[in-house]
Amino acid sequence: MKTLPIPTAPAAPPLPLERLRLPDELDGRAGGNRAGPDVVCQLAAGNDLEAVQAWLAEFHDSPQTLRNYRKEAERLLLWALLERGKPLSSLTREDCLLYEAFLADPQPRERWCGQKATRFSPHWRPFLGPLSPASRKLAMLIINSLFSYLVKAGYLAGNPLALARRRARGHQPMRQVERFLEHDQWQVLLATVDELPRDSERDCQHQARAKYLVALLYLLGPRVSEVAGHAMSSFIQIRGRWWWRVIGKGRKEAQVPVNQDMLQALRNYRRFYGLPPLPAPDETTPLVLNLKGTDGIGDNMIYRIVKDLVAKAAARLEAEDPHQADKLRRASTHWFRHTSITHQADAGIEIQFLQRNARHARIDTTGLYLHAEEREWHETMERHRLKD
């Protein structure tokens, strides 16, 4: 594929990544934010364009994500070259603030904006027009993911977006997932499950199932229909790692990593029913069994188990914190999915992995689960006191 040098004339249009060739002084080999010689780079990339392409290659199996990520990385790289006259690997925090402002009004308009056209058309432009606040937020999330990846890979010394803070702009309706349990509410629920009675055989069966079901809903983040509709053989081992292979919404097949906590919960549950610790590839045992261990359970039973557990947990909180108790009492099975995704985001799992774990088609859907900065924002307001 023919590549062209980056245009530098004031009105010259940008070029898509496939046609771009960087001049030596702007290719990033000597970028101001490149990692030092004592850091071993895990990429074969010699310049910024190759580094961006290495990051994009991570999404080869998700075409829609690849297109979205390429679009944002391409825009940033071209802006750095054409508007700032510097390589991507020399961008600073101040540059990132300027870029975020640029996204709200890409100027000069004739250079950056145009009607939709194929990537090899002379009429192609990176933008159709200014980005909305939601689109700007998504763009910066994706760019943050790019920078984080390049830092972890040993290509960049630091992430210039690491100090970025969320700022409210204009009058935008709030769109965030609120039907989730806070960390302290979740801990109360876990304590409730741990302390369920085990006086009779039936009690033990109920406690074993509840403990496993809570782990399953929290660590894998499934929809309740997926729990009821899968067998133990949906747990698979690939190259020494365990995954949960699920057929989800729209009959789409996906897989979710099974971490050590989930693997241990699975082992414990299976041992309780006298099964081998880990499932066989062709095993037809339902994912969650009835108390006798003879058959599976359906959506309605899973819902009833969860409602019983959250009611018990809420009772523990009632005297101390009625507000939290009320929220716990309202929780349902789908709240567990929201809780799983939200807590993964709080734990710092990067948004591209979060999107894959949640199996969201659109990354902006995943963005609704990012609540961590709200806590930090609220905590900083404690410095603003009525009396010194």
Side-chain angles (χ1 to χ4, degrees), residues 20 70-71 108 122 127 133 141 145 182 184 199 235 246 249 251 277 280 291 297 361 364 372:
L20 193 61
R70 179 186 63 188
K71 175 176 64 180
F127 297 88
L141 283 171
S145 177
E182 303 287 355
D184 51 356
D199 301 326
F235 286 104
V246 54
K249 200 172 181 179
R251 302 297 298 170
L291 291 184
I297 60 174
D364 49 348

Side-chain angles (χ1 to χ4, degrees), residues 32-35 89 91 147-148 150-152 155-162:
N33 189 27
R34 287 294 299 271
S89 57
L91 293 179
F147 282 138
S148 294
L150 295 180
V151 171
K152 287 183 178 179
Y155 183 83
L156 292 182
N159 178 355
L161 277 178

Side-chain angles (χ1 to χ4, degrees), residues 125-346:
R125 296 293 183 273
F127 297 88
L128 298 178
L131 299 190
S132 68
S135 294
R136 296 199 298 272
K137 176 183 174 182
L138 178 59
M140 300 311 289
L141 283 171
I142 292 172
I143 291 166
N144 182 62
S145 177
L146 166 64
F147 282 138
S148 294
Y149 176 88
L150 295 180
V151 171
K152 287 183 178 179
Y155 183 83
L156 292 182
N159 178 355
L161 277 178
L163 298 178
R165 297 185 58 80
R166 186 179 299 157
R167 298 172 302 284
R169 290 201 176 107
H171 183 265
Q172 297 292 325
M174 291 184 69
R175 288 187 68 232
Q176 277 193 319
V177 171
E178 299 298 339
R179 295 186 303 158
F180 68 95
L181 299 180
E182 303 287 355
H183 289 273
D184 51 356
Q185 294 168 331
W186 183 254
Q187 293 304 315
V188 170
L189 180 68
L190 291 182
T192 301
V193 173
D194 282 339
E195 294 173 19
L196 287 172
R198 282 173 277 187
D199 301 326
S200 66
E201 181 182 5
R202 188 174 181 82
D203 285 344
C204 290
Q205 291 168 341
H206 179 66
Q207 202 264 352
R209 184 176 65 183
K211 195 165 187 175
Y212 167 67
L213 181 60
V214 165
L216 189 73
L217 293 172
Y218 182 73
L219 295 172
L220 299 181
R223 300 172 179 90
V224 65
S225 59
E226 295 165 352
V227 176
H230 282 74
M232 286 285 185
S233 57
S234 57
F235 286 104
I236 60 172
Q237 190 176 32
I238 303 174
R239 302 180 70 179
R241 293 184 175 90
W242 283 87
W243 302 80
W244 184 50
R245 181 163 288 170
V246 54
I247 298 172
K249 200 172 181 179
R251 302 297 298 170
K252 291 181 180 177
E253 186 174 315
Q255 58 190 38
V256 179
V258 175
N259 68 14
Q260 289 302 312
D261 281 3
M262 184 65 242
L263 208 55
Q264 190 57 51
L266 177 64
R267 288 190 186 104
N268 293 342
Y269 184 62
R270 288 174 62 84
R271 286 190 184 112
F272 180 86
Y273 281 101
L275 297 169
L278 294 170
D282 56 351
E283 187 172 335
T284 58
T285 306
L287 201 57
V288 183
L289 294 160
N290 62 17
L291 291 184
K292 293 181 179 179
T294 57
D295 203 355
I297 60 174
D299 301 21
N300 184 258
M301 177 57 75
I302 295 170
Y303 176 85
R304 285 161 53 196
I305 293 168
V306 166
K307 290 301 291 183
D308 178 65
L309 291 174
V310 296
K312 285 182 168 69
R316 293 169 65 109
L317 274 178
E318 190 67 54
E320 180 185 339
D321 194 331
H323 176 75
Q324 288 208 57
D326 179 64
K327 185 176 181 180
L328 250 174
R329 198 173 287 111
R330 288 184 287 115
S332 66
T333 49
H334 206 66
W335 282 49
F336 281 43
R337 174 170 164 79
H338 293 321
T339 301
S340 172
I341 301 165
T342 299
H343 289 193
Q344 288 178 51
D346 291 347

Side-chain angles (χ1 to χ4, degrees), residues 333-384:
T333 49
H334 206 66
W335 282 49
F336 281 43
R337 174 170 164 79
H338 293 321
T339 301
S340 172
I341 301 165
T342 299
H343 289 193
Q344 288 178 51
D346 291 347
I349 293 176
E350 291 187 10
I351 193 165
Q352 70 265 31
F353 299 129
L354 198 61
Q355 182 189 10
R356 294 170 78 175
N357 289 344
R359 294 169 282 127
H360 289 148
R362 295 169 57 89
I363 195 170
D364 49 348
T365 303
T366 312
L368 300 178
Y369 291 84
L370 305 179
H371 299 266
E373 288 186 0
E374 286 184 345
R375 182 173 62 251
E376 185 183 348
W377 177 20
H378 198 283
E379 287 173 355
T380 62
M381 280 302 290
E382 292 302 325
R383 304 173 195 161
H384 181 53

